[in-house]
Amino acid sequence: MGSTPNEPSLVVIEEDITLPSQITPSAKPLPLVAHGITDIEIHFLQIKFTAIGVYFDPNDVVSALQQWKGKSGKELEENDEFFEAVVSAPAEKLIRVVVIKEIKGSQYGVQLESAVRDRLSEVDKYEDEEESALEKVAEFFQSKYFKKGSVVNFHFPAGKPLEIGFAAEGKEEARLAVENGNVAETIQKWYLGGSRGVSPTTITALANSLSGHLGK
């Protein structure tokens, strides 16, 4: 069965793990611009942890990227300044994380907290306000259990606080607003931050996708 005009199609990442082709977190639908995974290889065996979908209106972001017009996906992939510009582009964005391998929410929260704290400390932006905001993020995930298929949404409305949502099968989405701009931006960089992004496959896909949009 095909999807109806009002119902986005699904992109299959692997069996039982899908990403919608578009998401409407507020007023307008945001298309899936790129997707990838987080994984690790142990003894030649690939273990996938999460699928990642990146959603925004390319037209809203491409206007901030004109200096990279004509660059190939490979060139963009290796340019961290380009991804800085993607993150700072004043456009609504949403990053969806779908759990492939079950873990405790506390494990994910600690990983996120550590990565964000280290990056903010490097640029002398880790003050009491950032520590407090980051603790709330870690606490939000503390009591959650990431079953396969659970979803974390990081919604970055333009000019408004980050909203984190978590939904597991059969339960209503839990939400947390992150008012601190430094923490919100660094979470976005954790996923979209070029060579330091947590998912190289997502960075490659995003570079290739935006190269295509910049070539139009």
Side-chain angles (χ1 to χ4, degrees):
M1 266 176 64
S3 57
T4 67
N6 296 324
E7 187 182 313
S9 58
L10 295 174
V11 177
V12 178
I13 307 302
E14 64 167 54
E15 191 182 354
D16 299 333
I17 301 294
T18 59
L19 290 164
S21 58
Q22 67 177 37
I23 292 177
T24 308
S26 53
K28 73 173 185 177
L30 304 179
L32 177 64
V33 179
H35 61 82
I37 57 168
T38 57
D39 66 338
I40 192 170
E41 198 174 276
I42 300 174
H43 302 306
F44 306 107
L45 184 69
Q46 183 194 34
I47 299 172
K48 297 176 184 177
F49 293 111
T50 62
I52 298 164
V54 182
Y55 296 82
F56 54 75
D57 184 337
N59 296 325
D60 292 347
V61 172
V62 162
S63 57
L65 307 175
Q66 289 305 302
Q67 72 185 86
W68 289 280
K69 201 172 177 70
K71 299 285 186 187
S72 69
K74 185 68 177 167
E75 288 173 302
L76 296 179
E77 184 184 342
E78 295 168 350
N79 189 322
D80 283 354
E81 279 185 29
F82 170 76
F83 288 100
E84 287 273 348
V86 172
V87 169
S88 59
E92 181 181 20
K93 306 182 195 86
L94 185 139
I95 299 168
R96 170 164 287 194
V97 181
V98 184
V99 177
I100 297 174
K101 183 171 175 55
E102 291 189 13
I103 60 165
K104 291 177 181 173
S106 56
Q107 291 174 271
Y108 177 82
V110 165
Q111 187 186 10
L112 176 61
E113 181 183 25
S114 174
V116 172
R117 182 179 58 235
D118 290 351
R119 290 176 188 222
L120 286 172
S121 297
E122 281 175 24
V123 292
D124 291 327
K125 287 185 177 178
Y126 190 65
E127 305 292 342
D128 290 346
E129 293 87 348
E130 284 73 28
E131 183 178 11
S132 174
L134 204 46
E135 279 177 1
K136 287 176 185 168
V137 173
E139 283 169 13
F140 175 75
F141 289 115
Q142 184 74 35
S143 61
K144 312 289 187 285
Y145 190 74
F146 282 32
K147 290 181 179 175
K148 184 174 182 177
S150 299
V151 171
V152 181
N153 286 323
F154 295 96
H155 178 214
F156 302 87
K160 293 180 184 173
L162 159 65
E163 186 173 77
I164 302 175
F166 174 81
E169 191 181 340
K171 289 188 180 174
E172 228 175 275
E173 187 176 50
R175 296 174 186 270
L176 174 74
V178 180
E179 304 274 352
N180 186 284
N182 287 331
V183 169
E185 182 184 62
T186 308
I187 289 173
Q188 194 177 154
K189 284 180 178 176
W190 195 45
Y191 279 106
L192 307 183
S195 64
R196 295 186 66 190
V198 72
S199 167
T201 53
T202 303
I203 295 301
T204 299
L206 188 55
N208 289 332
S209 177
L210 287 173
S211 173
H213 285 289
L214 281 163
K216 289 177 182 175

